[in-house]
Amino acid sequence: MDDDTFWTLIENCRQRTPDPDERVAWLCERLAGGPEPEIVGFQTCLDRVLLPSGTWDLWAAADRIMGWCSDDSFFYFRLWLVGLGRDSFERLARDPDALAELPDVRRLVGRDQEDWDEEEWLNWEELDYVAGQAFVQVTGRTEEEFHAAVEALGGEDPESGDPAGEQWDASDDEQAKRRLPRLSGLFPGPGTPVTDEDHPMDATTNRFPG
């Protein structure tokens, strides 16, 4: 499976339903209807397309939005970005501050995390399991054998190694204002008020224009 085919599957999935569980079910059914190499190829493509999103700046952006983001949470956040589609994913990987444009992010502004609904959390952990589920369903073999098949293709682990770029503290307001000016306006440090000017809530789509 090449990257274009992978992203076409993600886009078709997006168009069918906004519900992440329904998307996973659709993807699993679609992959299970194809040959085994396509199932394994989906995982290797997912691992590959995730690589550019492994940066300290993007991790800091996730930290800023969620208050604190563990390594696992950051990985699930990156999977959520994949679910936005190719254009949005690639732009956000290059410019994490553009997350400030997304309605899914803006609706969290000024709200305590305890008040976030489960579906509002910016993660899509299940995407990382869908190919393995399809593999087990089709072949009757184990998930361990699936991971061995993926490894045999020589792909890179998107969770291994340090993120790219310079590590910095997202809780440092001065750095955040310089590196993530829009996000730091929406998600200020403790004791800093958020004004209507900071978040006019005028965005209507999860897609970037153009």
Side-chain angles (χ1 to χ4, degrees), residues 91 98-109 182 186 196-209:
R91 180 181 176 187
L99 283 157
E101 301 174 15
L102 297 183
D104 282 353
V105 171
R106 299 175 77 89
R107 69 170 55 102
L108 303 175
V109 173
R182 288 176 288 175
L186 294 176
D196 290 339
E197 183 179 350
D198 289 325
H199 57 102
M201 299 302 288
D202 56 357
T204 59
T205 176
N206 243 8
R207 299 292 302 278
F208 288 108

Side-chain angles (χ1 to χ4, degrees), residues 14 80-86 88-89 92 102 104 206-207:
R14 278 175 46 79
W80 175 79
L81 292 181
V82 170
L84 299 178
R86 186 174 198 167
S88 295
F89 175 85
L92 292 166
L102 297 183
D104 282 353
N206 243 8
R207 299 292 302 278

Side-chain angles (χ1 to χ4, degrees), residues 7-157:
W7 283 115
T8 296
L9 279 172
I10 294 296
E11 189 58 39
N12 289 343
C13 177
R14 278 175 46 79
Q15 293 175 359
R16 287 178 177 272
T17 174
D19 184 274
D21 292 334
E22 293 178 4
R23 289 182 181 181
V24 165
W26 184 87
L27 282 170
C28 188
E29 182 179 1
R30 169 63 181 80
L31 291 173
E36 180 182 326
E38 184 175 285
I39 300 173
V40 177
F42 180 90
Q43 186 67 45
T44 60
C45 278
L46 174 60
D47 292 346
R48 182 170 61 248
V49 303
L50 278 168
L51 292 174
S53 67
T55 69
W56 286 118
D57 282 347
L58 187 61
W59 196 336
D63 261 337
R64 198 73 189 184
I65 295 168
M66 292 185 271
W68 180 78
C69 186
S70 68
D71 51 355
D72 284 342
S73 295
F74 179 52
F75 182 64
Y76 304 152
F77 174 78
R78 293 162 65 194
L79 292 168
W80 175 79
L81 292 181
V82 170
L84 299 178
R86 186 174 198 167
D87 292 343
S88 295
F89 175 85
E90 292 180 349
R91 180 181 176 187
L92 292 166
R94 294 191 306 268
D95 179 18
D97 199 36
L99 283 157
E101 301 174 15
L102 297 183
D104 282 353
V105 171
R106 299 175 77 89
R107 69 170 55 102
L108 303 175
V109 173
R111 296 171 54 199
D112 192 289
Q113 291 183 5
E114 294 181 357
D115 296 328
W116 296 4
D117 293 333
E118 182 178 353
E119 62 271 15
E120 291 183 302
W121 284 89
L122 309 182
N123 72 74
W124 195 16
E125 178 183 356
E126 293 78 8
L127 178 61
D128 196 41
Y129 310 139
V130 65
Q133 293 169 355
F135 178 90
V136 171
Q137 179 179 329
V138 168
T139 67
R141 303 204 296 275
T142 65
E143 289 191 8
E144 287 74 15
E145 289 173 296
F146 166 72
H147 293 303
V150 172
E151 186 176 349
L153 291 179
E156 295 187 60
D157 182 353

